[in-house]
Amino acid sequence: MTKKIFIKTFGCQMNEYDSNRIFDIVKKIGFFKTNDISEANCYLLNTCHIRDKAKEKVYHEIGRVRQVFGFKKKPIVIVAGCVAQAENQEMLKREPYIDMVIGPQTYHEINTRIEEFLNKQKKLEITDFDANLKFDYLKEIKNSSSKVSSFLTIQEGCDKFCHFCVVPFTRGPEYSRPFKEIIDEAKVLVENGAKEIILLGQNVNAYRYENYKLSDLIIEIEKLSEVSRIRYTTSHPRDMTDDLINIYKVSKKLMPLVHLPVQSGSDKILNLMNRKHTIDEYYKIYDKLKNINPKIKFSSDFIIGYPDEQDDNFQDTLNLIKNIDFINSFSFIFSPRPGTVASKLKLIDRKISLKRLELVQHELFNHQIKMNKSLENEVIDVLVENKSSKSTKFFGRSEYMTSVIFDANDEDVGKIVRVKIKNTNQNTLFGEKLQKSNLKVA
Ligand code: SF4
């Protein structure tokens, strides 16, 4: 019988990276990937704990799988990722359809565990924290991602313990992969066709391996001639060290979009969140980067309605958004995560939070619309990622990660082309590729 695995991924880019690596591992024991859930004999759900009702979403999803199979022989059902880590044994008790719960630092054991399950039919929960063992195992298995823009995890976990966040509990302590191992993996991605490498970590700029920092990794990856763009995410303001800032002076491949979550514009709220930096320090980073390269733009994450956020604290956030023209940012109403310090705090009135979120998003969306509109009739550089499955158009991204839909040719995939922008909306630019011309690039 052909072994087929159906993998569904919720959440961040790191989960996407993990899902790809899980597939690279299970291939070793004969699994093929399927996009048709009903023909799968293994179903894996890679979960995310960041958003509201994460746990319920998982049970709901498993319920849907049960419906698909009805009275047919059920697949092996595996829940992986951060919800698996946080809920562990509880999941097996509550939902008998689940056969295995596997944490983000133990998925390298998946093959032996699947075999163990098949032999003994005994439900399994594996949620240790040993990133070391995981990456030791993974380095022997080639990354098969063949996307023009490929993710590369360099660091995992977090020691900062922001009061609202579950990451230190679900991903464990900060761990940085060996420098050489990362460069080797970057070379494999390049062999597979990657032109853009996005370095990932929960605290990506906290990367430290021996004397190496994130800035050293960027310098080294920049030497790979096939790589045309480098990005990294997600950073913490406290780790925006001068060596990293100065890379923007010399690098030709590091993109000028800095995603630097600030969460709130109020020092009082930052302190309550245990963010370990002030707004003044955030502005200093902004000024330094802008002085080095005025083209740099910022994007950020905002938590609105954090416990004890008063009107004046919220106003500080709005002022920050007005002062720094953030683009492509994320904003959410605070929602408590079990086990965190903030989960024990008194919530503020939901109606107030909703009103504040509306104001913040109005401001953020306006920045985005204004920025996109300013590009109409301009020519920009776009890395062509793929052809749209639904039309004859192509998809790529600007230097600032904005989606671009345009006319091009099959041989343009993987290249940076010049696109004249004709139309825009809040999230997307529409245009057409220029043949070689003398038009100035915006
Ligand atoms: S620094 Fe980021 S990952 Fe770490 S606890 Fe804070 S929000 Fe979570």
Side-chain angles (χ1 to χ4, degrees):
M1 183 183 58
T2 319
K3 293 191 209 164
K4 291 185 180 166
I5 186 165
F6 180 96
I7 301 180
K8 181 156 187 171
T9 309
F10 288 149
C12 63
Q13 294 128 321
M14 195 177 281
N15 267 15
E16 226 180 282
Y17 174 88
D18 286 346
S19 290
N20 283 334
R21 299 302 273 145
I22 288 172
F23 178 60
D24 287 338
I25 298 172
V26 296
K27 266 198 304 199
K28 299 259 162 218
I29 53 167
F31 275 98
F32 293 88
K33 205 185 266 179
T34 177
N35 293 323
D36 177 359
I37 185 170
S38 67
E39 62 171 29
N41 31 37
C42 182
Y43 171 91
L44 186 138
L45 181 63
N46 196 2
T47 61
C48 166
H49 209 301
I50 294 292
R51 301 282 168 260
D52 214 3
K53 302 194 177 73
K55 192 166 74 176
E56 295 315 311
K57 215 168 148 188
V58 172
Y59 291 118
H60 179 74
E61 203 54 40
I62 300 299
R64 286 176 48 178
V65 180
R66 193 207 314 265
Q67 275 178 7
V68 170
F69 285 87
F71 295 106
K72 269 180 27 194
K73 185 175 177 327
K74 80 185 270 303
I76 307 170
V77 174
I78 304 174
V79 178
C82 291
V83 178
Q85 185 70 42
E87 295 297 307
N88 49 61
Q89 280 291 343
E90 216 27 61
M91 300 208 102
L92 296 177
K93 280 191 211 141
R94 180 168 156 186
E95 177 48 271
Y97 210 67
I98 300 173
D99 299 307
M100 201 183 299
V101 171
I102 191 159
Q105 304 303 17
T106 36
Y107 67 72
H108 58 291
E109 294 183 26
I110 192 163
N111 286 353
T112 39
R113 300 307 184 143
I114 287 177
E115 276 160 3
E116 203 176 322
F117 175 78
L118 290 173
N119 288 336
K120 299 189 189 149
Q121 291 294 313
K122 189 174 171 285
K123 298 204 176 257
L124 293 165
E125 178 250 324
I126 322 127
T127 49
D128 305 334
F129 279 135
D130 203 335
N132 231 323
L133 283 178
K134 179 177 81 176
F135 284 110
D136 255 9
Y137 181 90
L138 281 175
K139 75 172 187 238
E140 306 300 334
I141 294 183
K142 266 199 164 190
N143 187 327
S144 68
S145 163
S146 57
K147 290 191 171 167
V148 167
S149 175
S150 286
F151 297 129
L152 173 44
T153 293
I154 65 165
Q155 179 280 340
E156 277 199 45
C158 181
D159 297 337
K160 294 200 173 60
F161 290 90
C162 298
H163 285 170
F164 54 82
C165 183
V166 284
V167 165
F169 309 104
T170 57
R171 291 269 172 174
E174 274 176 20
Y175 167 82
S176 294
R177 295 178 65 191
F179 185 82
K180 183 175 175 307
E181 197 177 297
I182 295 168
I183 301 302
D184 287 346
E185 192 169 328
K187 288 179 182 163
V188 169
L189 292 173
V190 163
E191 275 167 30
N192 296 351
K195 303 291 175 194
E196 174 175 88
I197 304 249
I198 305 182
L199 304 173
L200 300 179
Q202 267 95 26
N203 254 283
V204 74
N205 55 345
Y207 176 84
R208 298 285 180 281
Y209 182 78
E210 295 171 346
N211 289 326
Y212 297 113
K213 293 179 175 179
L214 174 60
S215 53
D216 300 300
L217 276 172
I218 293 169
I219 291 170
E220 202 57 27
I221 292 175
E222 178 134 354
K223 290 180 192 158
L224 303 174
S225 59
E226 297 89 340
V227 172
S228 42
R229 289 182 170 181
I230 303 170
R231 304 181 190 272
Y232 60 89
T233 194
T234 294
S235 323
H236 190 286
R238 232 184 49 173
D239 296 310
M240 255 356 252
T241 46
D242 283 343
D243 59 296
L244 181 56
I245 290 174
N246 285 327
I247 288 290
Y248 286 87
K249 227 189 264 182
V250 290
S251 173
K252 303 242 176 333
K253 297 183 179 178
L254 184 58
M255 290 295 99
L257 175 68
V258 178
H259 182 70
L260 192 61
V262 63
Q263 311 297 1
S264 168
S266 150
D267 279 339
K268 181 190 98 178
I269 299 297
L270 288 181
N271 191 32
L272 289 175
M273 288 175 167
N274 194 31
R275 287 291 287 172
K276 303 184 178 81
H277 70 87
T278 62
I279 285 302
D280 198 40
E281 283 159 347
Y282 194 89
Y283 273 121
K284 281 195 179 120
I285 297 167
Y286 173 80
D287 289 339
K288 276 188 195 172
L289 281 160
K290 279 294 216 190
N291 283 336
I292 280 178
N293 181 355
K295 253 181 84 178
I296 287 176
K297 297 204 181 290
F298 275 55
S299 66
S300 193
D301 298 341
F302 296 91
I303 295 175
I304 307 302
Y306 193 76
D308 205 19
E309 182 189 75
Q310 304 297 328
D311 281 341
D312 56 335
N313 309 137
F314 173 66
Q315 198 51 51
D316 290 339
T317 301
L318 270 187
N319 290 342
L320 178 76
I321 292 173
K322 281 179 184 151
N323 291 337
I324 296 181
D325 271 359
F326 290 105
I327 58 164
N328 304 338
S329 295
F330 302 97
S331 48
F332 303 95
I333 291 180
F334 167 77
S335 78
R337 290 285 164 274
T340 59
V341 171
S343 67
K344 300 181 189 80
L345 304 176
K346 189 168 174 280
L347 291 174
I348 66 169
D349 186 335
R350 181 139 182 106
K351 277 196 207 124
I352 295 178
S353 294
L354 277 168
K355 184 76 211 147
R356 289 179 183 166
L357 182 69
E358 207 178 291
L359 291 168
V360 158
Q361 294 195 332
H362 177 75
E363 217 39 69
L364 290 171
F365 296 165
N366 270 350
H367 283 324
Q368 222 165 303
I369 291 167
K370 209 171 87 193
M371 152 109 184
N372 289 353
K373 202 116 197 99
S374 73
L375 294 172
E376 288 181 9
N377 294 317
E378 296 286 343
V379 177
I380 63 165
D381 281 352
V382 176
L383 175 60
V384 189
E385 292 193 21
N386 50 50
K387 191 173 186 177
S388 158
S389 54
K390 293 189 194 113
S391 75
T392 54
K393 303 273 180 194
F394 284 75
F395 171 84
R397 288 190 188 270
S398 73
E399 292 185 328
Y400 299 103
M401 276 296 264
T402 309
S403 305
V404 190
I405 308 282
F406 53 102
D407 295 307
N409 308 310
D410 286 336
E411 59 271 21
D412 292 323
V413 173
K415 291 185 188 152
I416 291 185
V417 298
R418 303 171 80 199
V419 173
K420 179 157 186 180
I421 302 303
K422 299 272 181 72
N423 273 309
T424 59
N425 63 25
Q426 187 189 312
N427 297 314
T428 313
L429 313 173
F430 302 90
E432 79 184 21
K433 188 193 100 169
L434 289 188
Q435 303 309 324
K436 287 214 180 326
S437 79
N438 296 324
L439 278 170
K440 210 174 132 260
V441 176

